[in-house]
Amino acid sequence: KKMSQARFARVIDTSESTISRWLQNDYPNAENVNVKVMAFLEKETARKQKVGKLDFVMTTVSKQVWNVLEYTRLQKTMGIIYGDAGIGKTATAKQWAKGKNDVVMITVTPAFANPKPFLKLLARAFKTSRSGTMDDIYLDILDRLENRDITLIIDEAQHLTVKSLEIVRSLNDNADTAIVMIGNEVVYNKMLGKQKAEFAQLFSRIGMRSSLSTEMIKKEDTAAIFGLESGAELEYLYSICGSRFGLRGAVHVWVNASNNEDTSLNGLKGMAKQMGILV
């Protein structure tokens, strides 16, 4: 796993000094550490025997996501990618961000919806101070972004309040930071604000937008993802991709069926039923 002793100690919930002494046969309660280490090794061995995830495939949806990310990064503008869940928006953004040291990606949860928690989340991502007033945190972030050509990706952006979205806009204005927001249609509706005047500044900053849905996933996309050329299995997985379960649901069914060593049509349908995915 190429783990440091410090990281390994955290993973098995013990201290680095304990691991160091244990490795040197100098820890008095070695059996306690043995149990934790064996549990870790058994779990990792089991994981290697299972299909974890599928390789990234550039789908029709992924191409649109990729284009918005590229355009926004180069133009230093704001972009918004919104639509159905489970169609590969986040997976594509993570793949696009790989190897780019000028890209920072954060994920918003309801806990970070309001301005101050959101600023703390940004401060953590940009490695600035998370203490002080909102003004202090915001100014530290601006100082960090000054003269740096950064692209900020905000995933699950629909959780942000309108006031937090104003902070996003101000970062684009004041730091010339490229920002891409990814989420469901809620985030777009918040930005649109039914064309009310108070939302005009916010919405006008959007330089590139892309609306995505499960219906955009093509059969050839599905074939490439699962390595299938034709057949009932492909048709069934394609039907899941086009449903409310999306590509994510189809991938979960395939991975679980693979681990069950039965990716036949019956095996896929049986697994989907067990998972509550009915199409």
PDB file of all heavy atoms in Angstrom, residues 80 113 157-162 165 185-194 199 202-203:
ATOM      1  N   ILE A  80     -21.368  26.212 -14.852  1.00  0.00           N
ATOM      2  CA  ILE A  80     -22.309  25.424 -14.056  1.00  0.00           C
ATOM      3  C   ILE A  80     -22.704  24.182 -14.835  1.00  0.00           C
ATOM      4  O   ILE A  80     -23.049  24.251 -16.018  1.00  0.00           O
ATOM      5  CB  ILE A  80     -23.539  26.265 -13.651  1.00  0.00           C
ATOM      6  CG1 ILE A  80     -24.490  25.454 -12.781  1.00  0.00           C
ATOM      7  CG2 ILE A  80     -24.262  26.831 -14.856  1.00  0.00           C
ATOM      8  CD1 ILE A  80     -25.559  26.287 -12.118  1.00  0.00           C
ATOM      9  N   ALA A 113     -23.616  24.654   4.014  1.00  0.00           N
ATOM     10  CA  ALA A 113     -24.493  25.430   3.137  1.00  0.00           C
ATOM     11  C   ALA A 113     -24.391  26.927   3.370  1.00  0.00           C
ATOM     12  O   ALA A 113     -24.412  27.714   2.431  1.00  0.00           O
ATOM     13  CB  ALA A 113     -25.943  24.978   3.318  1.00  0.00           C
ATOM     14  N   ALA A 157     -23.122  21.575  -5.396  1.00  0.00           N
ATOM     15  CA  ALA A 157     -23.308  23.002  -5.144  1.00  0.00           C
ATOM     16  C   ALA A 157     -24.758  23.376  -4.847  1.00  0.00           C
ATOM     17  O   ALA A 157     -25.018  24.480  -4.360  1.00  0.00           O
ATOM     18  CB  ALA A 157     -22.804  23.805  -6.341  1.00  0.00           C
ATOM     19  N   GLN A 158     -25.696  22.471  -5.105  1.00  0.00           N
ATOM     20  CA  GLN A 158     -27.101  22.786  -4.833  1.00  0.00           C
ATOM     21  C   GLN A 158     -27.373  23.016  -3.346  1.00  0.00           C
ATOM     22  O   GLN A 158     -28.390  23.587  -2.962  1.00  0.00           O
ATOM     23  CB  GLN A 158     -28.026  21.683  -5.354  1.00  0.00           C
ATOM     24  CG  GLN A 158     -27.975  20.363  -4.595  1.00  0.00           C
ATOM     25  CD  GLN A 158     -26.921  19.422  -5.116  1.00  0.00           C
ATOM     26  OE1 GLN A 158     -26.139  19.788  -5.990  1.00  0.00           O
ATOM     27  NE2 GLN A 158     -26.906  18.197  -4.630  1.00  0.00           N
ATOM     28  N   HIS A 159     -26.439  22.551  -2.498  1.00  0.00           N
ATOM     29  CA  HIS A 159     -26.635  22.726  -1.060  1.00  0.00           C
ATOM     30  C   HIS A 159     -26.357  24.162  -0.606  1.00  0.00           C
ATOM     31  O   HIS A 159     -26.784  24.557   0.490  1.00  0.00           O
ATOM     32  CB  HIS A 159     -25.729  21.773  -0.279  1.00  0.00           C
ATOM     33  CG  HIS A 159     -26.072  20.329  -0.461  1.00  0.00           C
ATOM     34  ND1 HIS A 159     -27.314  19.821  -0.184  1.00  0.00           N
ATOM     35  CD2 HIS A 159     -25.327  19.277  -0.911  1.00  0.00           C
ATOM     36  CE1 HIS A 159     -27.334  18.521  -0.446  1.00  0.00           C
ATOM     37  NE2 HIS A 159     -26.140  18.181  -0.898  1.00  0.00           N
ATOM     38  N   LEU A 160     -25.650  24.942  -1.398  1.00  0.00           N
ATOM     39  CA  LEU A 160     -25.276  26.291  -0.993  1.00  0.00           C
ATOM     40  C   LEU A 160     -26.481  27.217  -0.950  1.00  0.00           C
ATOM     41  O   LEU A 160     -27.340  27.187  -1.830  1.00  0.00           O
ATOM     42  CB  LEU A 160     -24.237  26.865  -1.955  1.00  0.00           C
ATOM     43  CG  LEU A 160     -22.859  26.193  -1.970  1.00  0.00           C
ATOM     44  CD1 LEU A 160     -21.997  26.819  -3.060  1.00  0.00           C
ATOM     45  CD2 LEU A 160     -22.182  26.315  -0.615  1.00  0.00           C
ATOM     46  N   THR A 161     -26.520  28.072   0.067  1.00  0.00           N
ATOM     47  CA  THR A 161     -27.542  29.106   0.119  1.00  0.00           C
ATOM     48  C   THR A 161     -27.191  30.193  -0.889  1.00  0.00           C
ATOM     49  O   THR A 161     -26.067  30.256  -1.396  1.00  0.00           O
ATOM     50  CB  THR A 161     -27.633  29.730   1.518  1.00  0.00           C
ATOM     51  OG1 THR A 161     -26.400  30.393   1.806  1.00  0.00           O
ATOM     52  CG2 THR A 161     -27.906  28.668   2.587  1.00  0.00           C
ATOM     53  N   VAL A 162     -28.151  31.068  -1.151  1.00  0.00           N
ATOM     54  CA  VAL A 162     -27.910  32.149  -2.102  1.00  0.00           C
ATOM     55  C   VAL A 162     -26.785  33.056  -1.598  1.00  0.00           C
ATOM     56  O   VAL A 162     -25.959  33.535  -2.389  1.00  0.00           O
ATOM     57  CB  VAL A 162     -29.202  32.948  -2.343  1.00  0.00           C
ATOM     58  CG1 VAL A 162     -28.915  34.180  -3.196  1.00  0.00           C
ATOM     59  CG2 VAL A 162     -30.238  32.071  -3.025  1.00  0.00           C
ATOM     60  N   LEU A 165     -23.621  31.451  -2.448  1.00  0.00           N
ATOM     61  CA  LEU A 165     -23.375  31.588  -3.882  1.00  0.00           C
ATOM     62  C   LEU A 165     -22.826  32.979  -4.212  1.00  0.00           C
ATOM     63  O   LEU A 165     -22.033  33.133  -5.140  1.00  0.00           O
ATOM     64  CB  LEU A 165     -24.664  31.331  -4.669  1.00  0.00           C
ATOM     65  CG  LEU A 165     -25.136  29.870  -4.728  1.00  0.00           C
ATOM     66  CD1 LEU A 165     -26.526  29.782  -5.330  1.00  0.00           C
ATOM     67  CD2 LEU A 165     -24.171  29.012  -5.516  1.00  0.00           C
ATOM     68  N   GLU A 185     -30.504  20.241 -10.626  1.00  0.00           N
ATOM     69  CA  GLU A 185     -31.159  21.414 -11.198  1.00  0.00           C
ATOM     70  C   GLU A 185     -31.451  22.498 -10.169  1.00  0.00           C
ATOM     71  O   GLU A 185     -31.648  23.661 -10.514  1.00  0.00           O
ATOM     72  CB  GLU A 185     -32.459  20.998 -11.899  1.00  0.00           C
ATOM     73  CG  GLU A 185     -32.970  22.036 -12.864  1.00  0.00           C
ATOM     74  CD  GLU A 185     -33.992  21.486 -13.837  1.00  0.00           C
ATOM     75  OE1 GLU A 185     -34.020  20.262 -14.035  1.00  0.00           O
ATOM     76  OE2 GLU A 185     -34.739  22.289 -14.396  1.00  0.00           O
ATOM     77  N   VAL A 186     -31.433  22.137  -8.891  1.00  0.00           N
ATOM     78  CA  VAL A 186     -31.689  23.114  -7.831  1.00  0.00           C
ATOM     79  C   VAL A 186     -30.684  24.253  -7.889  1.00  0.00           C
ATOM     80  O   VAL A 186     -31.038  25.422  -7.732  1.00  0.00           O
ATOM     81  CB  VAL A 186     -31.647  22.432  -6.442  1.00  0.00           C
ATOM     82  CG1 VAL A 186     -31.700  23.471  -5.320  1.00  0.00           C
ATOM     83  CG2 VAL A 186     -32.809  21.450  -6.301  1.00  0.00           C
ATOM     84  N   VAL A 187     -29.414  23.922  -8.102  1.00  0.00           N
ATOM     85  CA  VAL A 187     -28.387  24.973  -8.122  1.00  0.00           C
ATOM     86  C   VAL A 187     -28.611  25.928  -9.282  1.00  0.00           C
ATOM     87  O   VAL A 187     -28.431  27.147  -9.150  1.00  0.00           O
ATOM     88  CB  VAL A 187     -26.965  24.363  -8.172  1.00  0.00           C
ATOM     89  CG1 VAL A 187     -26.677  23.680  -9.497  1.00  0.00           C
ATOM     90  CG2 VAL A 187     -25.926  25.459  -7.913  1.00  0.00           C
ATOM     91  N   TYR A 188     -29.052  25.411 -10.414  1.00  0.00           N
ATOM     92  CA  TYR A 188     -29.317  26.278 -11.557  1.00  0.00           C
ATOM     93  C   TYR A 188     -30.495  27.201 -11.269  1.00  0.00           C
ATOM     94  O   TYR A 188     -30.464  28.399 -11.574  1.00  0.00           O
ATOM     95  CB  TYR A 188     -29.600  25.449 -12.803  1.00  0.00           C
ATOM     96  CG  TYR A 188     -29.885  26.276 -14.033  1.00  0.00           C
ATOM     97  CD1 TYR A 188     -28.850  26.914 -14.709  1.00  0.00           C
ATOM     98  CD2 TYR A 188     -31.175  26.433 -14.508  1.00  0.00           C
ATOM     99  CE1 TYR A 188     -29.098  27.686 -15.835  1.00  0.00           C
ATOM    100  CE2 TYR A 188     -31.436  27.202 -15.641  1.00  0.00           C
ATOM    101  CZ  TYR A 188     -30.393  27.816 -16.292  1.00  0.00           C
ATOM    102  OH  TYR A 188     -30.647  28.581 -17.396  1.00  0.00           O
ATOM    103  N   ASN A 189     -31.546  26.650 -10.652  1.00  0.00           N
ATOM    104  CA  ASN A 189     -32.716  27.459 -10.313  1.00  0.00           C
ATOM    105  C   ASN A 189     -32.364  28.557  -9.313  1.00  0.00           C
ATOM    106  O   ASN A 189     -32.901  29.666  -9.362  1.00  0.00           O
ATOM    107  CB  ASN A 189     -33.833  26.570  -9.764  1.00  0.00           C
ATOM    108  CG  ASN A 189     -34.432  25.681 -10.833  1.00  0.00           C
ATOM    109  OD1 ASN A 189     -34.375  26.009 -12.022  1.00  0.00           O
ATOM    110  ND2 ASN A 189     -34.987  24.552 -10.437  1.00  0.00           N
ATOM    111  N   LYS A 190     -31.444  28.247  -8.386  1.00  0.00           N
ATOM    112  CA  LYS A 190     -31.007  29.266  -7.432  1.00  0.00           C
ATOM    113  C   LYS A 190     -30.261  30.385  -8.145  1.00  0.00           C
ATOM    114  O   LYS A 190     -30.421  31.560  -7.836  1.00  0.00           O
ATOM    115  CB  LYS A 190     -30.096  28.644  -6.362  1.00  0.00           C
ATOM    116  CG  LYS A 190     -30.831  27.855  -5.292  1.00  0.00           C
ATOM    117  CD  LYS A 190     -29.854  27.336  -4.251  1.00  0.00           C
ATOM    118  CE  LYS A 190     -30.579  26.555  -3.162  1.00  0.00           C
ATOM    119  NZ  LYS A 190     -29.616  26.018  -2.157  1.00  0.00           N
ATOM    120  N   MET A 191     -29.432  29.997  -9.092  1.00  0.00           N
ATOM    121  CA  MET A 191     -28.664  30.990  -9.838  1.00  0.00           C
ATOM    122  C   MET A 191     -29.593  31.832 -10.721  1.00  0.00           C
ATOM    123  O   MET A 191     -29.417  33.038 -10.861  1.00  0.00           O
ATOM    124  CB  MET A 191     -27.627  30.299 -10.719  1.00  0.00           C
ATOM    125  CG  MET A 191     -26.567  29.530  -9.960  1.00  0.00           C
ATOM    126  SD  MET A 191     -25.442  30.588  -9.061  1.00  0.00           S
ATOM    127  CE  MET A 191     -24.466  31.267 -10.380  1.00  0.00           C
ATOM    128  N   LEU A 192     -30.601  31.184 -11.295  1.00  0.00           N
ATOM    129  CA  LEU A 192     -31.524  31.877 -12.187  1.00  0.00           C
ATOM    130  C   LEU A 192     -32.391  32.850 -11.402  1.00  0.00           C
ATOM    131  O   LEU A 192     -32.616  33.978 -11.807  1.00  0.00           O
ATOM    132  CB  LEU A 192     -32.384  30.857 -12.934  1.00  0.00           C
ATOM    133  CG  LEU A 192     -33.382  31.386 -13.961  1.00  0.00           C
ATOM    134  CD1 LEU A 192     -32.637  32.130 -15.057  1.00  0.00           C
ATOM    135  CD2 LEU A 192     -34.187  30.236 -14.552  1.00  0.00           C
ATOM    136  N   GLY A 193     -32.872  32.373 -10.238  1.00  0.00           N
ATOM    137  CA  GLY A 193     -33.657  33.231  -9.363  1.00  0.00           C
ATOM    138  C   GLY A 193     -34.901  33.805 -10.019  1.00  0.00           C
ATOM    139  O   GLY A 193     -35.360  34.883  -9.664  1.00  0.00           O
ATOM    140  N   LYS A 194     -35.442  33.095 -10.989  1.00  0.00           N
ATOM    141  CA  LYS A 194     -36.641  33.544 -11.688  1.00  0.00           C
ATOM    142  C   LYS A 194     -36.487  34.971 -12.247  1.00  0.00           C
ATOM    143  O   LYS A 194     -37.424  35.759 -12.282  1.00  0.00           O
ATOM    144  CB  LYS A 194     -37.870  33.454 -10.769  1.00  0.00           C
ATOM    145  CG  LYS A 194     -38.183  32.032 -10.323  1.00  0.00           C
ATOM    146  CD  LYS A 194     -39.397  31.985  -9.432  1.00  0.00           C
ATOM    147  CE  LYS A 194     -39.690  30.545  -9.002  1.00  0.00           C
ATOM    148  NZ  LYS A 194     -40.850  30.465  -8.096  1.00  0.00           N
ATOM    149  N   PHE A 199     -30.741  38.665  -8.341  1.00  0.00           N
ATOM    150  CA  PHE A 199     -29.958  37.537  -8.823  1.00  0.00           C
ATOM    151  C   PHE A 199     -29.221  37.861 -10.131  1.00  0.00           C
ATOM    152  O   PHE A 199     -28.466  37.043 -10.634  1.00  0.00           O
ATOM    153  CB  PHE A 199     -30.849  36.310  -9.059  1.00  0.00           C
ATOM    154  CG  PHE A 199     -31.453  35.747  -7.814  1.00  0.00           C
ATOM    155  CD1 PHE A 199     -32.689  36.177  -7.368  1.00  0.00           C
ATOM    156  CD2 PHE A 199     -30.785  34.785  -7.075  1.00  0.00           C
ATOM    157  CE1 PHE A 199     -33.251  35.666  -6.221  1.00  0.00           C
ATOM    158  CE2 PHE A 199     -31.339  34.267  -5.921  1.00  0.00           C
ATOM    159  CZ  PHE A 199     -32.567  34.710  -5.491  1.00  0.00           C
ATOM    160  N   LEU A 202     -25.394  37.618 -10.114  1.00  0.00           N
ATOM    161  CA  LEU A 202     -24.961  36.238  -9.933  1.00  0.00           C
ATOM    162  C   LEU A 202     -25.094  35.459 -11.234  1.00  0.00           C
ATOM    163  O   LEU A 202     -24.154  34.822 -11.706  1.00  0.00           O
ATOM    164  CB  LEU A 202     -25.800  35.600  -8.822  1.00  0.00           C
ATOM    165  CG  LEU A 202     -25.384  34.241  -8.291  1.00  0.00           C
ATOM    166  CD1 LEU A 202     -23.990  34.305  -7.701  1.00  0.00           C
ATOM    167  CD2 LEU A 202     -26.368  33.778  -7.230  1.00  0.00           C
ATOM    168  N   PHE A 203     -26.272  35.531 -11.848  1.00  0.00           N
ATOM    169  CA  PHE A 203     -26.535  34.729 -13.031  1.00  0.00           C
ATOM    170  C   PHE A 203     -25.719  35.207 -14.228  1.00  0.00           C
ATOM    171  O   PHE A 203     -25.286  34.408 -15.054  1.00  0.00           O
ATOM    172  CB  PHE A 203     -28.025  34.776 -13.366  1.00  0.00           C
ATOM    173  CG  PHE A 203     -28.438  33.804 -14.431  1.00  0.00           C
ATOM    174  CD1 PHE A 203     -28.483  32.446 -14.159  1.00  0.00           C
ATOM    175  CD2 PHE A 203     -28.758  34.234 -15.700  1.00  0.00           C
ATOM    176  CE1 PHE A 203     -28.851  31.536 -15.142  1.00  0.00           C
ATOM    177  CE2 PHE A 203     -29.123  33.331 -16.681  1.00  0.00           C
ATOM    178  CZ  PHE A 203     -29.171  31.985 -16.403  1.00  0.00           C
TER     179      PHE A 203
END
